[in-house]
Amino acid sequence: MQQAVITDKFGRVLQDLRISVTDRCNFRCRYCMPREIFGKDFAFLPKEHLLTFEEIERLASTFLQLGVKKIRLTGGEPLLRKNIDELIERLASLEGLEDIGLTTNGVLLGKMADKLKAAGLKRVNVSLDALDDKTFMAINDSNFPSHPVIKSIQQAKDAGLVVKINMVVKKGMNDHEVLSMANFFKERGITLRFIEFMDVGQTNGWDFQHVVTKKELYEMIAKEHDLEPVEPDYIGEVAKRYRYKGTETEVGFITSVSESFCSSCTRARIAADGHFYTCLFAGTGFNLKDILREGISNEELKNTIINRWQKREDRYSDERTEETAKKRKKIEMSYIGG
Ligand code: SAM
Ligand code: SF4
Ligand code: SF4
């Protein structure tokens, strides 16, 4: 298949696609879906507003024709979406797709790992913010201990999936766990990536003071370990990668706040209800679901997406200030898909 190369206003190529398959989650991480907002009365998307698998497949196939090579499924918690393996199987067989991954909190991963792998999934990023149960439970606010997630990580590896761990670090929340997490995953030869706490959405009470920067994280780890930089694998790779000297094990930093990477951001996002976003911090999206359901032709659909990408000027993290972080209207992470 001939893949197009579509560029935005700053010459950034459309290359990656994140698809959120649900806005629901079995955790209530304090920094993402605080329970006082996402409580019993919160209005999650009704089923008929979610993209169907057929619609997701059609959109994915269109994005692949427009240059996308990698797809990641996310949410909310993507493993809560019924028959997710069926969706993966449909997507994995699409022409032009080089990589398909999924980001999960790991709760349901262990028992699903073999099925996901068989469906064609290549990699999983498992979010784990602490080993210590007290800290982990205070974060997930769901009384869920860390050992089942750790077990899931092993089961995913055993199933043949490439596994990476994501740890969001917030000052006073889990920064005391940075070194123990680094040691734990180094010993197991698994890549751990530290994510700077971000001001996504409107509800997580973000403040610059809460961010533990890459520099601080690096220094904590470098006290015990010698690290050497690893060259990026491709343009637009978001993590700054390092290797523990004398090993093949890597550690990474996603520096969205302290060293933003908008100039190489090649990522499009589709929310669970089919809204198309060109930035994680966008305030509005473009409703692709409605035009699909109105019977848009393939050619028109392609042109609509091309048009939106060509108009893209997003560089929120490059321009972030205390003011924009607090005042700008932004979509919640659990809806847009992290
Ligand atoms: N539920 C899945 C999970 O937790 O892996 C997938 C969706 S979650 C929104 C995707 C990623 O976004 C997770 O690694 C999560 O820790 C991260 N995340 C959520 N809120 C964040 C924030 N305010 N700052 C940085 N990362 C955040
Ligand atoms: Fe759920 Fe993931 Fe958000 Fe935690 S970070 S509340 S697991 S969507
Ligand atoms: Fe991409 Fe927007 Fe993040 Fe910048 S702020 S890296 S444009 S998603």
Side-chain angles (χ1 to χ4, degrees):
M1 179 182 68
Q2 188 76 31
Q3 281 187 308
V5 176
I6 316 294
T7 52
D8 70 7
K9 284 249 162 113
F10 301 132
R12 297 170 296 188
V13 177
L14 170 58
Q15 212 165 275
D16 310 280
L17 180 64
R18 293 212 160 196
I19 306 173
S20 171
V21 292
T22 177
D23 59 338
R24 290 165 198 261
C25 189
N26 42 3
F27 275 2
R28 285 293 178 273
C29 300
R30 300 288 317 147
Y31 57 75
C32 178
M33 296 179 79
R35 202 173 273 285
E36 43 306 354
I37 312 273
F38 295 88
K40 273 206 299 293
D41 299 329
F42 185 79
F44 289 101
L45 292 168
K47 193 166 173 243
E48 63 275 16
H49 287 202
L50 294 181
L51 289 177
T52 63
F53 286 177
E54 287 73 21
E55 287 166 341
I56 295 176
E57 186 182 354
R58 179 158 176 219
L59 287 177
S61 157
T62 309
F63 274 88
L64 288 167
Q65 290 165 48
L66 298 179
V68 161
K69 296 181 174 59
K70 297 180 180 185
I71 292 181
R72 174 162 293 276
L73 301 178
T74 179
E77 175 47 45
L79 297 183
L80 288 181
R81 179 80 190 245
K82 222 170 146 202
N83 303 327
I84 184 83
D85 55 312
E86 193 194 296
L87 175 66
I88 291 167
E89 198 169 341
R90 283 167 180 251
L91 298 180
S93 61
L94 291 176
E95 212 183 329
L97 185 72
E98 288 176 9
D99 198 13
I100 177 159
L102 177 143
T103 303
T104 172
N105 60 25
V107 172
L108 300 168
L109 177 64
K111 60 176 182 220
M112 292 173 76
D114 286 327
K115 206 159 68 167
L116 297 171
K117 171 72 180 164
L121 189 70
K122 296 210 163 108
R123 52 185 76 238
V124 280
N125 289 353
V126 183
S127 304
L128 178 66
D129 297 328
L131 294 170
D132 165 59
D133 277 341
K134 196 162 156 254
T135 311
F136 189 53
M137 287 182 189
I139 298 170
N140 66 49
D141 199 12
S142 305
N143 226 2
F144 199 83
S146 64
H147 64 267
V149 178
I150 294 165
K151 192 170 165 210
S152 278
I153 292 167
Q154 190 52 49
Q155 286 169 297
K157 273 193 81 177
D158 294 345
L161 291 162
V162 178
V163 182
K164 286 182 187 157
I165 312 303
N166 285 344
M167 173 182 182
V168 174
V169 189
K170 182 180 166 190
K171 219 162 255 176
M173 175 179 90
N174 60 345
D175 42 342
H176 60 287
E177 283 264 307
V178 166
L179 202 52
S180 48
M181 284 281 289
N183 289 336
F184 186 86
F185 287 105
K186 174 178 179 278
E187 274 166 30
R188 285 158 183 78
I190 297 175
T191 302
L192 169 64
R193 292 155 3 137
F194 295 101
I195 305 180
E196 291 177 350
F197 176 45
M198 293 186 285
D199 53 319
V200 277
Q202 308 276 102
T203 59
N204 73 1
W206 185 91
D207 197 294
F208 266 118
Q209 313 299 325
H210 292 135
V211 179
V212 185
T213 62
K214 178 219 161 183
K215 184 169 176 290
E216 293 171 296
L217 292 162
Y218 183 95
E219 280 165 6
M220 287 182 214
I221 297 167
K223 271 195 190 135
E224 271 197 24
H225 301 284
D226 284 338
L227 298 174
E228 58 189 9
V230 177
E231 286 305 309
D233 268 346
Y234 54 91
I235 298 166
E237 190 171 38
V238 294
K240 314 257 178 337
R241 293 162 55 199
Y242 294 82
R243 191 182 297 115
Y244 294 104
K245 262 196 189 152
T247 75
E248 286 303 310
T249 307
E250 289 189 18
V251 62
F253 302 89
I254 302 185
T255 60
S256 329
V257 180
S258 70
E259 292 172 33
S260 56
F261 36 78
C262 298
S263 61
S264 59
C265 180
T266 54
R267 190 171 284 179
R269 294 167 194 273
I270 301 175
D273 64 354
H275 276 75
F276 169 35
Y277 294 91
T278 53
C279 178
L280 179 56
F281 299 89
T284 51
F286 180 80
N287 188 337
L288 290 173
K289 172 176 94 298
D290 281 358
I291 58 172
L292 285 181
R293 292 185 186 177
E294 281 156 14
I296 193 170
S297 72
N298 287 342
E299 218 38 48
E300 281 173 300
L301 178 61
K302 260 197 223 171
N303 288 335
T304 304
I305 296 167
I306 292 173
N307 210 283
R308 309 280 329 168
W309 191 264
Q310 285 177 336
K311 288 198 179 116
R312 178 183 191 239
E313 289 183 303
D314 306 289
R315 49 193 297 268
Y316 176 81
S317 290
D318 280 357
E319 297 171 330
R320 177 188 288 109
T321 62
E322 200 77 65
E323 175 103 356
T324 57
K326 295 230 159 83
K327 294 213 175 119
R328 183 159 151 169
K329 181 179 165 286
K330 290 168 270 162
I331 303 291
E332 294 301 324
M333 183 89 144
S334 52
Y335 160 77
I336 195 172

